[in-house]
Amino acid sequence: MKKCTQCGSKDIIIERKHSGQRLCQKCFIKGINKKVLKDMRKNKLLNKGDKVMVALSGGKDSVMLLDILYTFYERNIIDLCAMTIDEGIADYRKDGVDIAKRHAERLGIEHKVVKFKDCFNFTLDDIMSIDSERGACTYCGVFRRWIINREARNMNATKIATGHNLNDETQAVLMNYLEGNIENLTRIGPKTEARNEKFTVKIKPLREIPEKEIALYVLSKELEVHLAECPYSSSSFRGEIKEFMNQLSNKHPTIMYSLLKGFDKMKPSIKKDFTNEFTKSKECVECGEPGSHGLCRACVFKKEIYNNIQK
Amino acid sequence: MFTLIIADKKLEKQIPNNDYKIINLLKELDMPVETVVTKKNNKIVIEETLIEDDDEIEIIQVIYGG
Ligand SMILES: [Zn+2]
Ligand SMILES: [Zn+2]
């Protein structure tokens, strides 16, 4: 009979093949909490007095993130608020938004739901119903980032916390590397730099936690989460990378850890050579949000979509 | 016989042999271990867990592939 390597309980819920560690529910939750707190300290993700805005989708990653950050809020180390984006995806998004609302209410924290429709006058469904060469995730990502930046200022947040996990980070590294987007690689990390006073620093406390362990955490703690698959996710390049990484991880269980570790070691050198100059004065001429060209990406996309809708 | 709960469906299934584990079931269903969390009689268990008579086995897909 296999037993928990920490406490000897026979009710184990995870076996980490690479380390031989087996854990019961209690020891798993305790261990993962400790790991996240250690990573947060290592990367100096929080300062006392920060107001952290959690980008709360209602999915497992952001719900776990909120659960952990709430312990800092409880101990009066930080102030906490949450923001949920409703991209407008019929028969899918409402469940997640409702779950996010219930978590914020349960914890008694400030929460805001922002809709694509109210910001841009179109939903993600509208975008996908018109012909476009870009995938749903590209539009969705750019518009979401635009809203998150703006709302962080509206909520007076000093940090934005996102639920990116180990799988997300390794996929991002691999994708950008394979596509030759070296400048994008310089921006992957536990904490962004505020390149412009209008940008709020973004932190990723869960970036060293594998996605499956996040699912185990929320299910173990019986936290309500939205687990359904986004109807637009399958068609992306990221989907292909995801499948490839999953297959590889099956055979080589430490591959994601080593990939991220190696990348983090290389990053200072890449950054030194490939950071493009991002001067403080550059702001989008249309919306005022920071951007590297005259128009920010969100405004470029918006124009494209308006043109296509009119056709 | 055991009960399989998957994607909101409940099915009665035969246990093919007395060394039948959740991991064997996942292979039959073509679901990678890395993408699911499994429960036996409403408790989270590892995939090496034996499936026994009258068990209720739940497979929760938590990660979606490409
Ligand atoms: Zn234990
Ligand atoms: Zn703009």
Side-chain angles (χ1 to χ4, degrees):
Chain A
M1 190 77 189
K2 286 176 174 172
K3 286 182 179 165
C4 174
T5 44
Q6 294 287 319
C7 75
S9 160
K10 58 178 180 37
D11 297 324
I12 58 173
I13 65 160
I14 183 172
E15 188 168 21
R16 292 190 177 115
K17 295 254 157 45
H18 52 280
S19 63
Q21 204 179 33
R22 291 185 294 272
L23 298 171
C24 70
Q25 197 151 304
K26 225 177 83 203
C27 294
F28 167 72
I29 290 172
K30 216 169 125 188
I32 209 161
N33 256 301
K34 219 168 129 185
K35 161 79 180 145
V36 176
L37 299 195
K38 195 181 117 197
D39 291 344
M40 289 176 71
R41 252 196 322 272
K42 178 178 77 187
N43 296 307
K44 301 186 173 64
L45 298 193
L46 291 182
N47 295 111
K48 198 173 167 16
D50 265 339
K51 180 172 183 182
V52 181
M53 182 186 92
V54 177
L56 181 66
S57 69
K60 60 187 184 319
D61 308 294
S62 60
V63 168
M64 172 173 172
L65 177 64
L66 181 68
D67 187 67
I68 288 189
L69 289 175
Y70 185 73
T71 61
F72 289 87
Y73 173 73
E74 258 183 324
R75 287 182 288 148
N76 268 317
I77 298 169
I78 58 166
D79 193 7
L80 193 61
C81 61
M83 198 266 302
T84 303
I85 296 176
D86 185 346
E87 298 87 356
I89 307 171
D91 300 324
Y92 168 74
R93 198 63 194 99
K94 188 179 179 299
D95 289 349
V97 173
D98 287 345
I99 288 169
K101 279 184 195 160
R102 286 197 286 272
H103 279 298
E105 212 165 281
R106 175 177 62 87
L107 300 173
I109 58 164
E110 180 188 359
H111 180 229
K112 199 167 167 184
V113 178
V114 181
K115 294 182 171 159
F116 270 24
K117 184 83 188 169
D118 294 339
C119 297
F120 313 120
N121 208 25
F122 49 69
T123 63
L124 190 61
D125 283 340
D126 293 336
I127 302 174
M128 294 327 285
S129 70
I130 58 171
D131 239 21
S132 63
E133 65 272 41
R134 291 180 231 274
C137 300
T138 307
Y139 288 114
C140 192
V142 166
F143 290 134
R144 263 206 327 251
R145 274 193 292 278
W146 187 90
I147 293 176
I148 286 173
N149 274 317
R150 194 192 63 180
E151 288 311 320
R153 285 199 311 276
N154 287 344
M155 293 180 107
N156 291 316
T158 53
K159 299 268 164 70
I160 299 167
T162 61
H164 291 91
N165 58 48
L166 180 61
N167 300 47
D168 296 327
E169 284 290 272
T170 51
Q171 284 156 23
V173 170
L174 205 56
M175 261 173 79
N176 282 305
Y177 183 67
L178 291 176
E179 290 181 320
N181 293 328
I182 307 304
E183 273 162 27
N184 283 356
L185 283 178
T186 65
R187 288 197 281 272
I188 297 175
K191 187 177 171 185
T192 60
E193 276 160 47
R195 294 168 293 172
N196 178 304
E197 59 193 14
K198 283 195 166 180
F199 269 127
T200 307
V201 173
K202 288 194 186 111
I203 57 170
K204 297 176 191 163
L206 306 183
R207 86 190 268 271
E208 293 186 33
I209 308 296
E211 191 169 2
K212 169 148 183 187
E213 295 197 12
I214 291 181
L216 263 179
Y217 180 95
V218 295
L219 290 170
S220 290
K221 290 196 83 173
E222 293 180 354
L223 294 167
E224 190 189 14
V225 291
H226 188 220
L227 284 172
E229 182 182 28
C230 174
Y232 295 122
S233 66
S234 55
S235 52
S236 62
F237 178 54
R238 184 181 274 269
E240 287 175 56
I241 296 291
K242 200 170 172 173
E243 203 176 348
F244 169 69
M245 284 302 289
N246 282 347
Q247 279 169 3
L248 214 56
S249 296
N250 246 335
K251 256 185 145 173
H252 312 276
T254 55
I255 205 89
M256 287 193 292
Y257 295 100
S258 55
L259 192 154
L260 195 66
K261 236 192 184 125
F263 171 74
D264 285 349
K265 273 188 203 157
M266 261 181 347
K267 202 188 137 186
S269 318
I270 309 174
K271 206 169 168 181
K272 211 175 100 213
D273 289 343
F274 291 95
T275 302
N276 62 1
E277 275 316 303
F278 201 106
T279 49
K280 282 198 171 207
S281 57
K282 279 184 183 160
E283 272 170 19
C284 174
V285 293
E286 190 93 18
C287 70
E289 289 292 319
S292 44
H293 308 287
L295 275 182
C296 73
R297 287 244 286 167
C299 286
V300 172
F301 285 5
K302 259 195 305 195
K303 279 214 159 69
E304 269 177 37
I305 292 161
Y306 291 141
N307 286 338
N308 279 330
I309 287 174
Q310 277 158 12
K311 261 180 214 165
Chain B
M1 291 286 275
F2 71 99
T3 309
L4 170 65
I5 303 175
I6 186 166
D8 294 326
K9 279 195 284 279
K10 227 176 194 181
L11 313 154
E12 293 298 318
K13 292 200 69 154
Q14 238 21 283
I15 300 176
N17 57 64
N18 54 14
D19 189 34
Y20 190 59
K21 295 174 177 164
I22 294 178
I23 193 156
N24 304 116
L25 173 65
L26 290 174
K27 274 201 188 110
E28 278 168 34
L29 297 169
D30 202 19
M31 297 183 86
V33 170
E34 277 311 305
T35 63
V36 297
V37 171
T38 55
K39 285 185 175 177
K40 171 172 163 161
N41 302 326
N42 216 20
K43 268 162 72 181
I44 300 174
V45 291
I46 55 169
E47 292 76 14
E48 281 76 14
T49 304
L50 211 59
I51 301 179
E52 294 159 301
D53 226 17
D54 296 330
D55 271 350
E56 192 179 85
I57 303 295
E58 185 177 358
I59 299 175
I60 307 164
Q61 188 166 7
V62 294
I63 300 178
Y64 295 90

